[in-house]
Amino acid sequence: MKLNLNIEKTDNWLPNKNPIIISGPCSVESEEQVLQTALEVSKSKKVSILRGGIWKPRTRPNSFEGVGEQGLSWLKQAGNSVGLPVATEVANAEHVEACLKNNIDMLWIGARTTVNPFSVQEIANALKGVDIPVFVKNPITPDINLWVGALERINAVGINKLGAIHRGFSSFDKSSYRNTPMWEIPIELRLMCPQIPMICDPSHIAGDKELIPYVSQKAIDLDMEGLMIESHINPLVAKSDAKQQVTPLELDVLINNLIIREKHSESEEFINKLEQLRSVIDELDEELINKFSSRMSIIQKIGEYKHENNVTILQLERWEQILKNRSFLADKVGLSDDFIKKMLELVHQESIRVQTQVMNKSRVSTDN
């Protein structure tokens, strides 16, 4: 499904950089802190936009929640001093009005806000008739419809300089990341609306500065337009998210070490080889689909047999056996355990759906 959004061409409002780097402190803590950070991150000439958090919605109270509106003038002055546009997060109409009053150049809607359509609509109403770029971060939960809905609400009031920020998703699963990337979701959004620029926020995905270079390279390899990386003049004393902020020097090293790949190649040899390999993939995919179809035919027969013998759909011991056996086979051929587990879970869900349908059909025919 394609989104029908009225979006202005990105080259009209985004810096002409590859990649676009948005950087600055997680929180604006003082006039001196944001100015010194701006002076340092701008030295490499690779940072395109200066960011800084003014209002910091925290998970629990009694922690640093930002300096408030006074920080907007500090952020703007810091941006002016190094010739960079500035961006900050807004969570309600009052934030929007304060940012417009202080001539903030760009806004973004945070993950905690995107998850609430009421809050997004309040922000959208405050932006009506305003010409300002707005980025929308993905919601905390992995729900692409909430992300799409937020973009649509902001676009509906006339904001056509619109971008998306991928910052990962909360998950109960144990992970090396603070927020699980779930790269398939931003990729799906790009398929739905390819004209929306996609920025990755490696800081919030990683949660630890040691992982930020890896996440950054992954985002660039997935053809995202830019990165939002938190940088603090002295992360050790940062009042929020200290572990995921890099120094300006570390930021410069990170950017310089990124491998920027070409989107396309004009080499005839490359194109021919790529097409050959893609043809093989197409044939294998067709074979997989046919195999899945055959598997579901067997599943349907199992459902009928279970119904005839009054047996439950879910057989936990069999499911545990499948997981163990298939994971062992996958490991032998070099497939990741995470991939095979996700694939098996999807197949299992479809198997349960098919068997449930068989049971219900049988019940309907009996009732009639």
Side-chain angles (χ1 to χ4, degrees):
M1 180 184 72
K2 297 283 186 180
L3 292 185
N4 186 23
L5 298 179
N6 179 24
I7 305 295
E8 190 171 322
K9 288 183 178 180
T10 55
D11 54 8
N12 292 340
W13 62 276
L14 274 176
N16 186 22
K17 296 278 186 71
N18 183 27
I20 296 161
I21 303 294
I22 303 171
S23 190
C26 172
S27 298
V28 172
E29 299 165 358
S30 69
E31 187 173 7
E32 181 183 6
Q33 169 249 7
V34 68
L35 175 59
Q36 288 302 314
T37 302
L39 290 170
E40 291 300 316
V41 299
S42 65
K43 284 182 178 179
S44 70
K45 307 297 182 185
K46 296 192 177 170
V47 172
S48 309
I49 300 163
L50 179 68
R51 60 144 289 152
I54 301 299
W55 303 276
K56 301 300 297 181
R58 312 309 295 170
T59 302
R60 301 180 65 180
N62 303 318
S63 57
F64 179 68
E65 295 186 331
V67 295
E69 188 173 343
Q70 63 176 333
L72 291 171
S73 62
W74 302 342
L75 179 63
K76 184 63 178 179
Q77 289 168 13
N80 287 340
S81 70
V82 294
L84 290 177
V86 298
T88 197
E89 177 180 347
V90 292
N92 55 44
E94 290 181 4
H95 293 172
V96 172
E97 290 163 5
C99 288
L100 296 177
K101 185 173 69 176
N102 284 273
N103 298 313
I104 300 302
D105 302 289
M106 299 179 179
L107 307 176
W108 78 79
I109 297 173
R112 288 180 174 86
T113 307
T114 304
V115 81
N116 187 338
F118 292 104
S119 298
V120 174
Q121 190 60 55
E122 179 186 339
I123 292 169
N125 293 340
L127 287 167
K128 193 170 185 178
V130 177
D131 182 23
I132 188 171
V134 178
F135 291 93
V136 179
K137 286 194 173 186
N138 63 259
I140 293 175
T141 54
D143 185 340
I144 193 169
N145 288 320
L146 280 172
W147 202 358
V148 168
L151 289 163
E152 289 175 326
R153 288 176 188 276
I154 300 301
N155 189 234
V157 298
I159 298 295
N160 57 14
K161 296 173 182 175
L162 197 60
I165 298 176
H166 171 47
R167 49 83 75 192
F169 302 88
S170 293
S171 173
F172 289 111
D173 295 335
K174 290 184 178 180
S175 171
S176 302
Y177 301 111
R178 175 180 176 181
N179 294 298
T180 308
M182 297 186 186
W183 298 104
E184 65 275 14
I185 295 179
I187 289 173
E188 184 179 351
L189 181 65
R190 299 201 76 180
L191 289 172
M192 295 171 71
C193 194
Q195 69 267 42
I196 288 184
M198 179 70 68
I199 305 294
C200 182
D201 179 348
S203 301
H204 278 88
I205 290 176
D208 186 321
K209 69 177 185 178
E210 300 301 325
L211 291 172
I212 292 176
Y214 171 77
V215 177
S216 299
Q217 185 63 59
K218 175 81 171 183
I220 296 302
D221 288 345
L222 290 175
D223 198 26
M224 294 191 181
E225 278 81 0
L227 305 169
M228 176 183 276
I229 302 175
E230 293 180 347
S231 181
H232 191 291
I233 195 69
N234 185 2
L236 293 176
V237 299
K239 294 183 178 180
S240 61
D241 292 342
K243 286 182 63 178
Q244 69 187 41
Q245 297 194 69
V246 298
T247 66
L249 180 58
E250 290 170 332
L251 175 70
D252 188 49
V253 171
L254 188 159
I255 297 171
N256 288 327
N257 285 337
L258 287 173
I259 300 171
I260 309 300
R261 309 182 199 280
E262 297 293 334
K263 293 186 179 183
H264 307 285
S265 173
E266 301 300 326
S267 165
E268 187 174 344
E269 181 182 355
F270 171 82
I271 293 171
N272 290 337
K273 184 64 176 177
L274 191 63
E275 286 304 312
Q276 289 174 14
L277 294 172
R278 284 174 172 170
S279 294
V280 175
I281 290 291
D282 292 342
E283 292 174 10
L284 289 171
D285 284 348
E286 185 177 346
E287 187 178 335
L288 279 172
I289 289 170
N290 289 330
K291 291 292 185 184
F292 278 129
S293 176
S294 299
R295 192 184 195 281
M296 290 306 156
S297 295
I298 302 297
I299 291 296
Q300 186 168 358
K301 291 178 182 178
I302 289 175
E304 293 167 355
Y305 193 59
K306 285 180 179 177
H307 175 71
E308 291 169 4
N309 290 273
N310 199 31
V311 173
T312 59
I313 292 174
L314 179 62
Q315 299 288 306
L316 196 57
E317 288 182 3
R318 167 64 176 167
W319 173 232
E320 289 175 343
Q321 181 187 13
I322 287 175
L323 280 176
K324 183 178 179 180
N325 177 263
R326 306 310 190 261
S327 295
F328 174 78
L329 292 174
D331 183 63
K332 290 295 184 183
V333 295
L335 293 175
S336 77
D337 186 65
D338 184 55
F339 164 73
I340 204 68
K341 184 180 178 183
K342 287 179 180 177
M343 188 273 289
L344 288 171
E345 285 174 348
L346 285 173
V347 172
H348 191 234
Q349 287 171 18
E350 181 64 8
S351 299
I352 289 175
R353 187 194 68 79
V354 169
Q355 291 185 57
T356 302
Q357 193 175 46
V358 169
M359 296 283 196
N360 289 337
K361 279 184 178 179
S362 300
R363 181 179 177 181
V364 169
S365 61
T366 302
D367 291 342
N368 289 337

